[in-house]
Amino acid sequence: MTRYIRHTAAFCALLLLALLVNAVRIQIVRAGAYDANPANRRHDLARYGQPRGDILVGGRAVTGSRDSGQRFRHERTYRDGPLYAPVTGFASQVYGTALLENAADGILSGTDPALSPLPLYDDLTRARDPGGHVVTTLDARAQRAAYAGLGGRRGAVAALEPSTGRILALVSSPSYDPGELSGTGPEVARAWARLNGAADRPMLNRAVRQTYPPGSTFKVVTAAAALDSGVVRDVDEPTRSPDPYRLPGSSARLTNEVVGCADASLRYAFQWSCNTVFAGLGVAVGVDAMRTTAAGFGFNDHGLGIPFRVSPSTFDTRVDAAQLALSSIGQYNTRATPLQMAMVAAAVANQGAVRAPHLVERTTTDDGDTVSATGRRTLHQAMNPATAVRLRELMTDVVEKGTGTNAAVPGATVGGKSGTAQHGLHNSGTPYAWFISWAQADDAMEPAVAVAVVVEDAAADRGDISGGGDAAPIARAVMEAVLDH
């Protein structure tokens, strides 16, 4: 009898060992495969089983959660959804996440190990911490001023704090309400189809995901290259520029919209935006120096994130002399996001240094304890500080007595550069109206804001569209909002 008991005990022990081995195989060895299996809904159920953390602007939550009582219980809600959609993105049970909702998903959903004092314990018990919060750098008044200024027209605004790279406003128009994509009902699928099929593409984040020919606003970059390389040593000396300018190796001639550009000084050419002068300067500087200067401002950077991805702005370096001339006035293949052009203006305002743009000030736990914070970081030194001083003078002249007078702000020094970018087959498209600028209050030690505005469908006759007329007032409103704050 004793022998049978021993055999039975050994057999039970063997079964127990097999059970433990199988549990280890499932829980550890095969855990990744089971987690990734599309049929496994446990993660989705857990994700929406608790409220999502919030995204904050100026200490106020612009997101929330609603208990739907359905299988995926907590649905995302948005306050002023269209206003902040280019920042928040969406969090949808059906279509996933985008923009900050995606980049900070670990914090917001409560899965980031940094939220827990005992992350290993949470892994073993499959516990989930409450969702944390994302504190943005946005200035609510600047965001509203930019959104109201565009007034539903296609375009975008980006505003930065030059000394830190903090993003103060990021607006894309037309916009959409991300709350329409929350939930699992048929209305969500209808909203998704409608938004993605709309001709004006409201879900396109024009501020960071759309690139445009920057037109004459790119002349800031060309002027910096000319000054840094020594091609121009005195901004008031004649540049020996013909008008019209024959593109090298071509019979095509480049002209100007204003008079007085023949042999104009850099100061006059910048103030009145002489195409012929800057095309010639770009050729004189050469493709290598132009490429280096453009890269210093952030062009051709494929790794920029704020934290979500930013489409790279491009300056084509495989060009002949004629193409280089056109590239140097922001045409040909030169393309830029509004955020990139805000970085150009910010570099001028910040002694030539380009700070890393960022949208997240810090992340916190549900209780408000800081999880991570974003520090000031320099991406590049775009130009010599002395060159930045000269460009600040030139940009100030544009606002005080040139094409940018509509951007003037009482009680502040404002520098700007307007631009009208041609595009389409044989330049047949409605020109894009650009304006980039920076502003410093008279009683302040340094500029507080740099802005870039692009308007795709300026409401004017083709010949009357201009950055100074259509985009500068929007930039002024954003700068006033920041300075008043």
Side-chain angles (χ1 to χ4, degrees), residues 11 85 90 105 122 186-187 194 204 254 286 327 374 413 417 425 463:
F11 181 68
F90 58 81
D105 183 65
D122 286 352
E187 67 279 0
R194 172 174 50 81
L204 172 64
L254 194 63
S327 297
T374 305
T413 299
K417 184 72 188 80
L425 183 64

Side-chain angles (χ1 to χ4, degrees), residues 141-155:
R141 297 207 297 180
Q143 185 81 358
R144 290 185 180 279
Y147 188 78
L150 285 171
R153 292 176 292 174
R154 291 193 304 272

Side-chain angles (χ1 to χ4, degrees), residues 162 291-304 340 343 346-348 350-357 377-385:
R291 178 189 64 229
T292 300
T293 301
F297 281 100
F299 283 81
N300 298 330
D301 182 352
H302 291 261
L304 184 63
Q340 172 61 70
M343 292 165 63
V348 175
N350 192 44
Q351 302 177 30
V354 180
R355 304 296 189 197
R377 182 169 62 91
T378 300
L379 282 181
H380 310 282
Q381 184 69 33
M383 68 193 107
N384 292 325

Side-chain angles (χ1 to χ4, degrees), residues 296-352:
F297 281 100
F299 283 81
N300 298 330
D301 182 352
H302 291 261
L304 184 63
I306 58 171
F308 49 80
R309 184 183 65 84
V310 177
S311 294
S313 299
T314 55
F315 180 80
D316 195 343
T317 59
R318 296 173 295 181
V319 291
D320 59 26
Q323 293 163 342
L324 177 60
L326 294 175
S327 297
S328 300
I329 60 171
Q331 296 290 165
Y332 187 56
N333 285 342
T334 305
R335 308 279 297 188
T337 62
L339 178 63
Q340 172 61 70
M341 295 315 296
M343 292 165 63
V344 169
V348 175
N350 192 44
Q351 302 177 30

Side-chain angles (χ1 to χ4, degrees), residues 117-447:
L118 299 170
L120 182 60
Y121 176 80
D122 286 352
D123 287 343
L124 293 174
T125 62
R126 301 283 179 155
R128 183 183 292 260
D129 295 293
H133 304 308
V134 175
V135 181
T136 71
T137 58
L138 292 180
D139 182 315
R141 297 207 297 180
Q143 185 81 358
R144 290 185 180 279
Y147 188 78
L150 285 171
R153 292 176 292 174
R154 291 193 304 272
V157 179
L160 299 168
E161 186 176 62
S163 62
T164 64
R166 297 171 67 248
I167 296 175
L168 304 177
L170 200 69
V171 168
S172 177
S173 178
S175 189
Y176 70 103
D177 185 357
E180 290 187 88
L181 302 178
S182 299
T184 57
E187 67 279 0
V188 174
R190 289 194 293 269
W192 179 262
R194 172 174 50 81
L195 292 171
N196 280 281
D200 53 8
R201 304 174 71 190
M203 294 184 70
L204 172 64
N205 192 336
R206 289 171 163 86
V208 296
R209 296 281 173 84
Q210 177 71 11
T211 59
Y212 304 86
S216 292
T217 58
F218 190 79
K219 291 171 183 174
V220 174
V221 178
T222 303
L227 290 166
D228 267 358
S229 65
V231 169
V232 173
R233 298 185 182 277
D234 187 337
V235 297
D236 293 307
E237 287 293 319
T239 55
R240 300 178 183 175
S241 304
D243 183 11
Y245 174 79
R246 186 174 65 83
L247 296 177
S250 168
S251 60
R253 294 178 180 273
L254 194 63
T255 59
N256 300 290
E257 298 292 332
V258 296
V259 298
C261 291
D263 298 323
S265 67
L266 180 60
R267 186 185 299 277
Y268 183 92
F270 195 93
Q271 182 177 332
W272 295 106
S273 207
C274 295
N275 288 331
T276 53
V277 172
F278 283 93
L281 288 178
V283 173
V285 169
V287 67
D288 289 339
M290 283 295 298
R291 178 189 64 229
T292 300
T293 301
F297 281 100
F299 283 81
N300 298 330
D301 182 352
H302 291 261
L304 184 63
I306 58 171
F308 49 80
R309 184 183 65 84
V310 177
S311 294
S313 299
T314 55
F315 180 80
D316 195 343
T317 59
R318 296 173 295 181
V319 291
D320 59 26
Q323 293 163 342
L324 177 60
L326 294 175
S327 297
S328 300
I329 60 171
Q331 296 290 165
Y332 187 56
N333 285 342
T334 305
R335 308 279 297 188
T337 62
L339 178 63
Q340 172 61 70
M341 295 315 296
M343 292 165 63
V344 169
V348 175
N350 192 44
Q351 302 177 30
V354 180
R355 304 296 189 197
H358 57 278
L359 193 52
V360 175
E361 190 79 67
R362 66 183 185 277
T363 59
T364 73
T365 64
D366 181 54
D367 295 329
D369 296 329
T370 297
V371 175
S372 65
T374 305
R376 179 187 307 185
R377 182 169 62 91
T378 300
L379 282 181
H380 310 282
Q381 184 69 33
M383 68 193 107
N384 292 325
T387 296
V389 171
R390 292 178 184 176
L391 280 174
R392 284 182 64 164
E393 294 174 2
L394 298 181
M395 292 183 75
T396 301
D397 287 346
V398 169
V399 175
E400 291 182 352
K401 49 191 177 184
T403 60
T405 54
N406 283 334
V409 176
T413 299
V414 178
K417 184 72 188 80
S418 60
T420 306
Q422 308 293 335
H423 67 101
L425 183 64
H426 303 303
N427 293 331
S428 60
T430 301
Y432 299 139
W434 276 96
F435 197 80
I436 65 173
S437 59
W438 51 265
Q440 177 177 345
D442 289 342
D443 59 353
M445 296 295 292
E446 59 186 16

Side-chain angles (χ1 to χ4, degrees), residues 257 406 419-420 422 430-431 433 458-471:
E257 298 292 332
N406 283 334
T420 306
Q422 308 293 335
T430 301
D461 293 335
R462 178 184 173 89
D464 295 330
I465 294 171
S466 70
D470 296 283

